[in-house]
Amino acid sequence: FVKWAGGKTGLVSTLKGILPPKIQTYYEPFVGGGALFFALAADGRFQRAVLNDFNSELMDAFKAIRAFPDAVVKALVRLKEEYTAEPQAVYNRERDRNPQELSPLDRAARFLFLNKTGFNGLYRVNKNGGFNVPFGQYANPRIADSANIKACAEVLGKFVVLSNQDFAACLGGARHGDVVYFDPPYVPLSPTANFTSYTAGGFGLAEQE
């Protein structure tokens, strides 16, 4: 339900081919958009799943979609109508809102709206944690994808734990027969080609090691 930098949609078939046919609990400590999780769920490959990301806004969106998908869709439809009338003004307004001051519903709707209307669907924050991705200038972004959101909500409601912790902290229950898929942010190629700002603290070489 989100576009995500480094998403694995194009590699899903390859990744599925190297995983066991039957998994007890599937762990994804850096879930991002969850492409592999949703593909494995569609195939019935695991009994349970633990999805985690240190990005609290992303995990709040997962939780809101699972808890009240219809309300999320309704909020997105309203944002879409406003966006159609004044695209950049509405984008700037939502970008400038403080997510910590919003209800869980409005926080999730804002996150999803910015994901669909910001440049390349990127999520990037400054050192203070403020979202700072520029306007995307799309002609007709798919802001309120009702069928997809409801389908995702159904999958997330089936034996899935959602957490917002450090990547290592979510793995305490991992046992023989489980699978952990580590897909951390990319290693920076250079000081100027650095995209690890999914959270205010970043994710550098020490975290990679």
Side-chain angles (χ1 to χ4, degrees):
F1 57 86
V2 292
K3 297 186 288 183
W4 206 249
K8 296 300 182 289
T9 300
L11 291 175
V12 160
S13 60
T14 299
L15 293 169
K16 289 199 303 180
I18 61 175
L19 293 179
K22 295 296 180 182
I23 300 167
Q24 292 184 29
T25 301
Y26 172 76
Y27 288 84
E28 193 160 348
F30 306 91
V31 67
L36 182 57
F37 159 76
F38 284 111
L40 292 173
D43 291 347
R45 293 275 289 272
F46 55 78
Q47 296 180 24
R48 298 170 298 278
V50 176
L51 306 181
N52 178 79
D53 204 286
F54 201 58
N55 185 319
S56 59
E57 283 197 75
L58 173 65
M59 296 316 299
D60 285 347
F62 268 89
K63 292 172 184 176
I65 283 176
R66 178 168 69 180
F68 30 81
D70 291 334
V72 171
V73 170
K74 186 175 180 179
L76 287 172
V77 168
R78 184 180 69 250
L79 284 168
K80 181 179 180 180
E81 291 172 351
E82 295 175 349
Y83 177 89
T84 300
E86 297 182 287
Q88 185 150 7
V90 175
Y91 179 83
N92 291 343
R93 182 197 72 195
E94 293 301 311
R95 184 179 62 181
D96 292 342
R97 297 175 82 185
N98 183 350
Q100 302 307 316
E101 297 175 354
L102 304 177
S103 69
L105 169 61
D106 289 337
R107 186 161 59 245
R110 171 187 177 272
F111 174 85
L112 293 168
F113 169 78
L114 293 174
N115 177 258
K116 300 300 183 183
T117 56
F119 180 73
N120 277 359
L122 295 177
Y123 185 93
R124 185 185 65 193
V125 295
N126 58 30
K127 291 182 179 179
N128 297 320
F131 186 78
N132 63 355
V133 174
F135 180 56
Q137 299 184 346
Y138 299 112
N140 187 29
R142 196 168 188 176
I143 295 170
D145 191 347
S146 175
N148 187 52
I149 287 175
K150 292 177 181 179
C152 290
E154 183 176 353
V155 173
L156 292 169
K158 297 177 179 178
F159 310 107
V160 178
V161 173
L162 301 175
S163 71
N164 171 218
Q165 308 176 74
D166 179 83
F167 68 92
C170 76
L171 301 175
R175 299 291 183 267
H176 180 75
D178 298 341
V179 164
V180 181
Y181 174 52
F182 288 103
D183 182 26
Y186 293 136
V187 177
L189 297 178
S190 73
T192 57
N194 182 350
F195 188 79
T196 59
S197 300
Y198 301 97
T199 60
F203 196 91
L205 290 176
E207 289 80 8
Q208 291 285 351
E209 291 170 3

